[in-house]
Amino acid sequence: MADFSLQLSASISVSVANSVGTIRLTNPDRHNALSQADWLAIPKAVVKITEAEARVIILYGEGRSFCAGADISEFDVVRKDPATARVYETANSEAFRAVREAPIPVLAAVDGYCLGGGFGLAAASDLRLATPRAVFGVPAARLGLAYPVDAMGDIVSAVGTQAAKRLLFTANRITADEAITIGFVGELVAEEALLNAANEMAATIASLAPLTHRATKATIAALSNGDLEGARALGDATFDSADYAEGRAAFREKRNPSFNGR
Ligand code: COA
C-alpha cells in the first residue's frame, strides 16, 4: 500500500514510509500531554499502520519530550468523577491496548519527559530507546488518581514489581541511567541521533520475517496473558509460510532473505 501521512487529532499524527509506521505526538509546547481525543486517536493510528502493511511502529514525541502524560487541564471536565473517569479510562486503556496488542513490534523513542500516561505508552511498547536526558516517572499519587489496571500490568511487566512500586509509591522521577538499570530502557542514544537510531532499528526489524515477529510478540505476551494456544497457532503458521521457505532458500543460496509476511 502507498505511503501516507495524516493528522488524526490535535496531538496525534500517523505516517507510513518504507514499511515503517510512525505515530508522532505533536504538541511539543505542552510536552506532548495527550487529551482524551488524542488517546482515542491512538488505536486508529495503529489500525492505519497495520492496514498499510507496515512491519514496525515507532512512537515518537516531537520537541523536547516524549510525553508528559494525560492533559491534566481537561480533568475537571473529562475525569472529574467516577462516571466520567470510567469513560476516560476506557479511552486510555484502549490506547495502551492498541500499542500492546499491535500485531507488529512497537518501538518507543524517548527524549525528555516520559511521565504518567507517557510512561504507560512506553511501557506498552515492545522496545524502548532513550536519550541520556530522558526522565521517567509515574506521578499518579501526586495527582491522587489510580492508573488503569492494564496499564499497571504493562508497567509491572516492563520494570518488575519492586521498581513499579517504587515509581508509584514515591512518585519520584528516575534518570535515563536508572531506567537502563531497571531494564525499562534498552539503549541510550544522543538526542540528535534518536530518530535515526529508532529508524535504523525499525528498518532491521522490518527486513526480518513478519510472521516470526508476530509469533514472538504473541508468545512473550502469552507468558502473562495466558493465551498459549493463540501463540502456538501463530508459531505453527510460520512453518506453513512462504517466508519460511524463503528463509531456508536464502540460507542455502548465501544471500539475504526477502520476506513478504505470507
Ligand atoms: N497536562 C497538561 N498540561 C501540561 C502537562 C500535562 N500533563 N504537562 C505539561 N503541561 C503544560 C504546562 O502546564 C505548561 O503549560 P503553560 O505553558 O500553559 O503553563 C506547558 O505544558 C509547559 O510545561 P512547563 O511545566 O512550563 O514545563 P517544565 O519544563 O517546567 O515542566 C513537566 C515540564 C512535564 C515536568 C511539568 O509540566 C509537569 O510536571 N507536568 C505534569 C506531568 C504529570 O503529572 N503527568 C501525569 C499526568 S496523569
Side-chain angles (χ1 to χ4, degrees), residues 8 10 51 56 81 128 136 148 177 214 237 255:
L8 290 179
E51 280 177 356
V56 56
D81 53 25
R128 289 166 287 273
F136 302 83
D177 282 336
R214 190 162 184 189
R255 59 172 173 82

Side-chain angles (χ1 to χ4, degrees), residues 7-195:
Q7 190 76 34
L8 290 179
S9 68
S11 301
I12 298 292
S13 81
V14 60
S15 60
V16 169
N18 303 320
S19 297
V20 176
T22 303
I23 300 175
R24 266 174 197 270
L25 282 53
T26 59
N27 189 5
D29 288 349
R30 305 184 80 197
H31 298 279
N32 296 315
L34 298 180
S35 70
Q36 188 170 21
D38 297 321
W39 293 117
L40 289 168
I42 290 175
K44 293 181 189 149
V46 173
V47 168
K48 293 260 175 226
I49 288 171
T50 51
E51 280 177 356
E53 297 188 7
R55 296 185 179 186
V56 56
I57 299 174
I58 295 173
L59 258 178
Y60 177 72
E62 286 183 356
R64 54 198 164 149
S65 285
F66 176 68
C67 175
D71 182 344
I72 301 165
S73 68
E74 65 173 10
F75 282 7
D76 288 346
V77 178
V78 300
R79 217 178 186 184
K80 65 173 189 282
D81 53 25
T84 52
R86 219 162 291 125
V87 176
Y88 192 96
E89 303 302 273
T90 303
N92 211 204
S93 287
E94 285 299 302
F96 298 134
R97 191 185 58 75
V99 171
R100 182 190 319 117
E101 295 182 7
I104 54 180
V106 182
L107 165 58
V110 177
D111 188 19
Y113 290 109
C114 177
L115 302 175
F119 192 95
L121 274 182
S125 301
D126 297 293
L127 298 161
R128 289 166 287 273
L129 291 181
T131 66
R133 68 179 179 188
V135 174
F136 302 83
V138 192
R142 206 179 287 286
L143 281 168
L145 51 71
Y147 273 66
V149 171
D150 52 352
M152 290 293 288
D154 290 332
I155 293 172
V156 170
S157 296
V159 303
T161 307
Q162 184 59 205
K165 287 183 179 178
R166 187 177 138 223
L167 283 165
L168 270 291
F169 286 149
T170 67
N172 283 342
R173 297 182 195 147
I174 62 169
T175 63
D177 282 336
E178 289 171 289
I180 288 268
T181 302
I182 63 173
F184 188 62
V185 168
E187 189 185 337
L188 296 185
V189 184
E191 287 93 76
E192 61 282 6
L194 180 65
L195 204 48

